[in-house]
Amino acid sequence: MDAQIKQIQSSGPPAEIGRKINELSLKDDDESRNQLLAMIRANNAGLSMMMKSVPPFQEAAKKISATEFKVPTSHDGDFEVLVEVYTPLTLVGKSDNPAYVFAHGGGCVSGSANDSKPFLDYIALSANVVVFNVDYRLAPEAKCPNNVKDFYEAVKYVCQNAEKLGINPKKICIAGESGGGYVCLGACVMLAQNNESHLIKLALPVICMVDDYAFSDPGAMTLEEKNNHTVMRQVWRLIAADMTQQAEDPLLFPGKASDEVLAKFPPTIIIEGEFDMFITSATRLARRLRRAGRLLEYIVFPGVSHAICLWPAFRMSEMFDGTFKKALQEYLHN
């Protein structure tokens, strides 16, 4: 692992918070689960505050026009899904912009769309895209598949209203990071099931939650997977409406989608980190998508763990930024 990353992860507040979260994940009572959820959410809020202080993100925000709209849905009661829109000032008023529809991270149990705004301002500016940041509902208050359906409805809204939104309907990318990567993959499943994948030029799940690998034998896991598997078991239980009944449901575990469904996915790039806690699941899915003819690229950044390459303070960020822009230029803009 990159020495800079290893030093930060092994000492100080991040390491202490991680130890407390893991301790709580080993307990199986309601009070411990509530404490675990609260700590995950507090940790995510802390990371969000840190993100707002990153100089490159602050500079990017000055060159972005931020607006929002709401998408009405009825799959889980009447609910309007908030979508925040970040448009580079150079693209304001244009009618054929590429779209990047994003689902934020946080394991589907924490965070909000606005938490990711600093990073997405930077992405919008550097990749020359209009970002649609979807504030899908979180578990356990909203159970699967409603998180996926919130995002899917937002994606469909962007596709159906491309002209009004100044978007080129032939240049729409859907993406997500970590838990949002799972939401993105779940939307790919829905698009495939409904024969709608032609609406999407590119799917781009990053360090994504994929399947129930965390429930397997930890003896066969990588160190990072083993260190996080009890937390991920609790997270999946929070997301699922019924773990037993949904055990084979690809809207809960997209990695279990059939070969027939995968063959109907949008063209897909999966991005991972060498020491990410989802590396095995993501690799298996990438290989299945390649066999189905839907994988464009499987990119693994060396020496990095979960989400680290997204932060400009780390050495690998420059490689991530360059690779990310090149991928969008090659597969979205062209």
Side-chain angles (χ1 to χ4, degrees), residues 9-304:
Q9 290 189 334
S10 62
S11 61
E16 182 60 30
I17 291 170
R19 282 190 286 270
K20 289 181 179 178
I21 287 175
N22 272 300
E23 287 173 7
L24 287 169
S25 72
L26 296 171
K27 301 177 181 179
D28 199 29
D29 59 278
D30 289 341
E31 182 179 355
S32 296
R33 278 190 289 269
N34 290 336
Q35 290 178 0
L36 173 65
L37 178 61
M39 184 159 284
I40 290 173
R41 289 179 170 177
N43 184 53
N44 197 80
L47 292 173
S48 174
M49 291 299 296
M50 291 172 57
M51 194 178 293
K52 291 177 182 178
S53 66
V54 175
F57 294 169
Q58 292 175 329
E59 287 301 310
K62 299 174 184 177
K63 302 174 184 178
I64 295 292
S65 171
T67 58
E68 64 181 46
F69 59 82
K70 293 183 178 180
V71 178
T73 67
S74 58
H75 51 264
D76 183 32
D78 292 330
F79 181 78
E80 292 185 325
V81 180
L82 174 67
V83 181
E84 297 187 357
V85 186
Y86 316 138
T87 307
L89 295 178
T90 55
L91 300 185
V92 173
K94 294 186 177 181
S95 60
D96 62 344
N97 296 312
Y100 185 81
V101 189
F102 183 80
H104 67 82
C108 291
V109 300
S110 67
S112 69
N114 193 256
D115 288 345
S116 296
K117 182 181 185 299
F119 170 68
L120 292 174
D121 285 343
Y122 183 76
I123 289 294
L125 194 64
S126 64
N128 209 37
V129 295
V130 177
V131 171
F132 295 87
N133 188 12
V134 181
D135 202 25
Y136 61 89
R137 282 173 284 184
L138 301 176
E141 293 82 2
K143 294 289 191 176
C144 174
N146 294 311
N147 45 13
V148 171
K149 289 184 175 181
D150 282 355
F151 185 71
Y152 167 82
E153 292 292 345
V155 169
K156 288 293 296 293
Y157 183 92
V158 172
C159 294
Q160 293 165 355
N161 294 275
E163 183 177 358
K164 181 176 73 174
L165 296 169
I167 295 303
N168 184 334
K170 295 182 180 180
K171 294 184 178 182
I172 297 175
C173 170
I174 62 174
E177 172 250 326
S178 191
Y182 145 65
V183 170
C184 173
L185 287 171
C188 289
V189 170
M190 290 192 68
L191 289 163
Q193 290 173 335
N194 296 326
N195 294 312
E196 296 171 327
S197 292
H198 64 280
L199 298 172
I200 304 303
K201 188 171 185 180
L202 174 66
L204 188 55
V206 179
I207 51 173
C208 47
M209 294 162 49
V210 176
D211 58 28
D212 57 356
Y213 183 67
F215 292 89
S216 64
D217 182 358
M221 295 178 180
T222 68
L223 178 62
E224 294 74 28
E225 292 166 342
K226 185 182 298 184
N227 287 345
N228 289 280
H229 80 283
T230 57
V231 176
M232 288 313 305
R233 288 179 180 182
Q234 296 287 16
V235 167
W236 282 119
R237 291 183 181 116
L238 290 170
I239 295 170
D242 187 312
M243 281 290 293
T244 302
Q245 291 187 6
Q246 294 176 297
E248 304 302 321
D249 186 350
L251 294 185
L252 179 62
F253 299 124
K256 294 189 175 186
S258 67
D259 290 343
E260 291 75 19
V261 168
L262 292 182
K264 295 181 179 180
F265 259 42
T268 302
I269 297 173
I270 295 178
I271 295 180
E272 260 295 346
E274 181 184 6
F275 296 101
D276 184 45
M277 57 188 173
F278 304 133
I279 185 69
T280 298
S281 295
T283 301
R284 294 192 305 192
L285 178 60
R287 289 176 174 172
R288 292 189 64 208
L289 283 168
R290 180 178 61 188
R291 188 172 66 242
R294 306 314 292 161
L295 184 71
L296 296 172
E297 306 274 0
Y298 179 43
I299 302 168
V300 179
F301 288 94
V304 300

Side-chain angles (χ1 to χ4, degrees), residues 300-317:
V300 179
F301 288 94
V304 300
S305 57
H306 195 67
I308 290 297
C309 58
L310 308 181
W311 289 77
F314 293 97
R315 286 186 288 263
M316 289 305 301
S317 175

